[in-house]
Amino acid sequence: DVQLQASGGGLVQAGGSLRLSCVTSGFTFDDFTIGWFRQAPGKEREGVSYIRVNDGSTYLADSVKGRFTISSDNAKNTVYLRMNSLKPEDTAKYYCAADFSYRAREIPITEYPNWGQGTLVTVSS
C-alpha cells in the first residue's frame, strides 16, 4: 500500500530555512506525482508544490515561488521541499501527497488520494 512519511518541520524564525522530506514506499515511484499541501489552523488546504517524478517537471504556488524548491532523490524514493526566507504566513502543517501522474494532471494537489501524517512548520516573527 502507498505510504508517505513527512518530516523536517520545526520552529524557525522569519527569514530562516527548513527542508522537509517525504519518504515514500509501496508504489512505483516513477509513475507518480508527489506534492506538498499545507493547512493552517482555521484555513483551507493550500497546494504548495509538486514534482512529476518521471520527467522532473515541477510546480510552485505563487505564494512560495522564489523561496521554495522541490526536488526528488529517485534512488531513495524521497521528495524534498526546501523552504527559504520563511514568513509567519508559512506556518501550517505540511503534508506530502501522491497520485498516479496521469491522474494528478487533472486534479489539484489537495485532492491527491494518498497522503501521510504531516509535519508542523511554525515560523515566528
Side-chain angles (χ1 to χ4, degrees), residues 1-4 24-35 50-57 70 72 74 77 79 97-105 112-115:
D1 56 338
V2 175
Q3 294 194 6
L4 302 145
T24 74
S25 62
F27 58 93
T28 303
F29 197 60
D30 282 357
D31 290 344
F32 274 65
T33 294
I34 313 296
Y50 70 68
I51 183 165
R52 191 170 296 127
V53 175
N54 66 348
D55 65 8
S57 57
I70 191 168
S72 69
N74 294 11
N77 288 359
V79 169
D99 199 5
F100 285 103
S101 288
Y102 75 89
R103 286 201 307 226
R105 295 174 189 270
Y112 291 5
N114 305 288
W115 38 286

Side-chain angles (χ1 to χ4, degrees), residues 39-45:
Q39 187 163 27
K43 295 190 176 181
E44 292 189 356
R45 293 177 186 172

